[in-house]
Amino acid sequence: QVQLVESGGGLVQAGGSLRLSCAASGSIGSINAMDWYRQAPGKQRELVATITSGRSTNYADSVKGRFIISRDNAKNTVYLQMNSLKPEDTAVYYCKMVVVTTGSVYQYQYWGQGTQVTVSS
């Protein structure tokens, strides 16, 4: 019913920047929270940043001050601007959205396919 497509991952050197995007399509009525998660090899998937429909934001301590999450409701898209990247930021990054589909009163979580971010030293 709803698909999330991510883009923007790649290989960068430490100190560099990268911008991820995640666009939702399908039978979308409204989108509540939009989140970014990441999973490094051998580690649990962790929440990186979240943004509410009112554009209130929260960040993991490890990325606070370096990453910025934003959203464009007209495009059903969430972005993650990553600055001052460190090797420990290397992970697969996943977007997640809480969506109420058209004609429904229920909300569901949808996940993107993941995009690899690799930071070299």
Side-chain angles (χ1 to χ4, degrees):
Q1 298 294 322
V2 176
Q3 299 82 41
L4 274 56
V5 179
E6 302 180 29
S7 62
L11 174 64
V12 297
Q13 291 188 330
S17 297
L18 210 58
R19 180 178 170 89
L20 307 182
S21 64
C22 174
S25 62
S27 301
I28 298 171
S30 63
I31 304 176
N32 296 320
M34 295 181 173
D35 306 329
W36 285 99
Y37 289 75
R38 68 185 181 187
Q39 188 166 22
K43 299 189 67 176
Q44 296 283 340
R45 187 172 299 187
E46 63 178 348
L47 178 64
V48 175
T50 183
I51 183 167
T52 68
S53 60
R55 300 191 179 183
S56 176
T57 60
N58 283 285
Y59 300 90
D61 289 340
S62 59
V63 307
K64 199 168 298 182
R66 299 188 297 121
F67 290 10
I68 301 172
I69 187 171
S70 61
R71 63 191 287 166
D72 186 334
N73 291 333
K75 298 180 179 179
N76 293 324
T77 299
V78 61
Y79 304 93
L80 187 67
Q81 178 66 47
M82 304 183 293
N83 301 314
S84 301
L85 283 163
K86 306 174 181 179
E88 49 263 47
D89 295 318
T90 295
V92 177
Y93 284 71
Y94 300 89
C95 61
K96 187 192 78 176
M97 299 187 187
V98 179
V99 179
V100 178
T101 55
T102 300
S104 176
V105 297
Y106 301 105
Q107 60 183 15
Y108 296 93
Q109 295 180 347
Y110 295 90
W111 290 86
Q113 81 279 9
T115 184
Q116 177 70 48
V117 172
T118 302
V119 184
S120 65
S121 59

